[in-house]
Amino acid sequence: MKYRTVAVTTAAALAATALLSGCGTDEGGDEPAASGPASLTYWAWAPGLDKVADIWNKGPGKEAGITVTVKKQASGDDLVTKIITAAKAHKAPDLVQAEYQALPTLVSNDVLADISKEAGDAEGEFADGIWQQATLGSDALYALPQDSGPLMFYYRQDLFEQYGLKVPTTWDEFAGTARALKRKAPDKDLTTFSSNDSGLFAGLAQQAGAQWWTTGGDTWKVAIDDPATQKVADFWGGLVKEGAIDNQPMYTPAWNKALNTGKQVAWVSAVWAPGTLTTAAPDTKGKWAMAPLPQWTAGENVTGSWGGSSTAVTNDSEHKGAAAAFAKWLNTDPAALAALVKESGIYPAATAAQTGGALAKAPDYFSNQPAFYTEAAKIAQGTAPAAWGPNVNVAYSAFKDGFAAAAKNRSDFGAALTAMQDATVADLEKQGFGVSE
């Protein structure tokens, strides 16, 4: 097994490496403090962010002379492409909502500013694993964490009781539970492995200790096929191969029906799952419960994450200090966080906002579990750090291609994982990065 390191060979990439090592770029004539007057533009996709910005504009923003205008954008790769294009023309907005896995891509394209001097003191507001995603493991700070998606285990309480199943606390127990259910109810599945959801697989690998992309000096190290991820791939591939779980993708009408009828009795998902279950399985409201993700080692509290985004300041902003002040307020101020929960429906990355206030009451779908968010907050504290690189989209695409075929054919997942690694490295080479063993 080879872990290859990607060395920078192009001028643009050299600049990116300086950013990733925490050197940052010269902020030029930016104002020395977060003072106005300043009119800032914020590209984002989360609903209701304009209403949250209005709280700033009428309160602290008005006092400081800083106004923020939210401009709704598409999410995912569409926004990443748009913001990079705008930055190349030096027309990027002051602020952008960026998914954690997009940060290295934006940094390597010289889009984001280092705001560690302006907002680095907010570190204590977030779990270590979440903060690391915003720093890329460096001394720089490229964004303020906004929301997070810690992984959890959801299960049908009534069906677990009916079939005498115990909630698994380890992955070995999870496999045993899947097999036990098949013996008792051959027409049912504990869950499914979905080749459509690379983000879930990435989160499961993170929990196992995977670090898919890491940097050292002027090099990238790609280890998607590392032992931790191989362990995860072999585990799920083994269950699919023996028929202990289903092999159908999620987020399809068939999957919705399986959840709603009880054909599928559990789901490994993130803290935002109640919203999905509300629409996918409306007839089972009040029958589900949430528990910590099964562990590789009994007694631990480690989870991965699926989803989550941040608020970043761009290098094109002429008011970086003001923009950083808004980003910090948005993601740490109690009033702002309460509004984010209410208006945008997010699960805040700031630990202080994960219980009480707007999250004092369990989701309506989980009214049978009043301590839902209290338990979720405990789980979130164990979020393992994620290590993203500049071509996550390529890795995710390779996952969907390779794992889709493997899941459908119930064949070995190891070959698909190796192909995912090779495709990721090949793309980095194509972009102008050299590869060394």
Side-chain angles (χ1 to χ4, degrees), residues 13-169:
L14 282 168
T17 303
L19 283 168
L20 286 171
S21 62
C23 298
T25 56
D26 186 356
E27 293 190 2
D30 186 29
E31 76 283 351
S35 58
S39 295
L40 309 177
T41 301
Y42 180 19
W43 284 6
W45 71 84
L49 275 177
D50 53 337
K51 297 180 180 178
V52 184
D54 284 344
I55 298 173
W56 163 269
N57 292 334
K58 295 175 181 178
K62 184 176 182 180
E63 295 176 6
I66 303 168
T67 301
V68 176
T69 300
V70 176
K71 293 194 174 181
K72 192 73 175 290
Q73 305 293 326
S75 61
D77 291 342
D78 290 340
L79 179 56
V80 172
T81 300
K82 185 174 181 178
I83 194 72
I84 290 174
T85 301
K88 287 180 179 178
H90 300 291
K91 294 182 179 179
D94 300 276
L95 298 128
V96 61
Q97 184 181 9
E99 292 178 292
Y100 296 120
Q101 67 261 29
L103 291 177
T105 301
L106 296 176
V107 170
S108 65
N109 281 276
D110 202 19
V111 175
L112 305 185
D114 174 5
I115 55 173
S116 56
K117 292 181 180 179
E118 296 85 355
D121 60 345
E123 179 176 358
E125 303 284 343
F126 307 94
D128 292 342
I130 296 297
W131 184 256
Q132 185 170 319
Q133 295 196 68
T135 66
L136 307 186
S138 71
D139 292 330
L141 177 63
Y142 297 108
L144 265 297
Q146 184 167 92
D147 62 317
S148 63
L151 291 175
M152 300 162 184
F153 179 69
Y154 295 87
Y155 65 99
R156 282 281 299 272
Q157 277 185 310
D158 57 334
L159 295 180
F160 263 56
E161 292 175 5
Q162 180 180 338
Y163 294 110
L165 305 176
K166 294 183 179 180
V167 178
T169 60

Side-chain angles (χ1 to χ4, degrees), residues 230-416:
Q230 283 190 345
K231 177 170 65 174
V232 174
D234 289 346
F235 175 81
W236 287 92
L239 291 176
V240 168
K241 189 173 184 179
E242 69 177 84
I245 62 173
D246 199 4
N247 61 344
Q248 300 301 311
M250 299 188 296
Y251 296 102
T252 64
W255 179 73
N256 290 348
K257 183 178 180 180
L259 289 177
N260 200 37
T261 61
K263 184 182 184 303
Q264 181 177 320
V265 306
W267 183 27
V268 174
S269 188
V271 69
W272 40 258
T276 300
L277 290 170
T278 298
T279 54
D283 296 341
T284 60
K285 177 182 177 182
K287 297 180 179 180
W288 291 79
M290 177 269 288
L293 198 65
Q295 301 293 302
W296 288 106
T297 302
E300 289 189 343
N301 176 34
V302 183
T303 191
S305 57
W306 185 8
S309 62
S310 63
T311 309
V313 177
T314 72
N315 278 316
D316 281 349
S317 177
E318 296 180 357
H319 306 284
K320 295 183 180 66
F326 170 75
K328 183 177 178 181
W329 172 87
L330 180 66
N331 298 301
T332 63
D333 182 85
L337 291 167
L340 281 172
V341 173
K342 178 183 177 182
E343 304 294 348
S344 303
I346 71 163
Y347 182 72
T351 56
Q354 291 174 353
T355 57
L359 296 181
K361 184 180 179 181
D364 189 47
Y365 193 90
F366 281 79
S367 58
N368 55 304
Q369 192 172 11
F372 182 94
Y373 284 119
T374 301
E375 294 303 312
K378 295 177 183 177
I379 295 170
Q381 282 297 313
T383 302
W388 304 111
N391 61 342
V392 173
N393 60 321
V394 172
Y396 277 13
S397 178
F399 169 85
K400 293 178 181 179
D401 291 340
F403 281 80
K408 181 178 179 180
N409 299 327
R410 299 186 183 276
S411 60
D412 180 34
F413 280 14

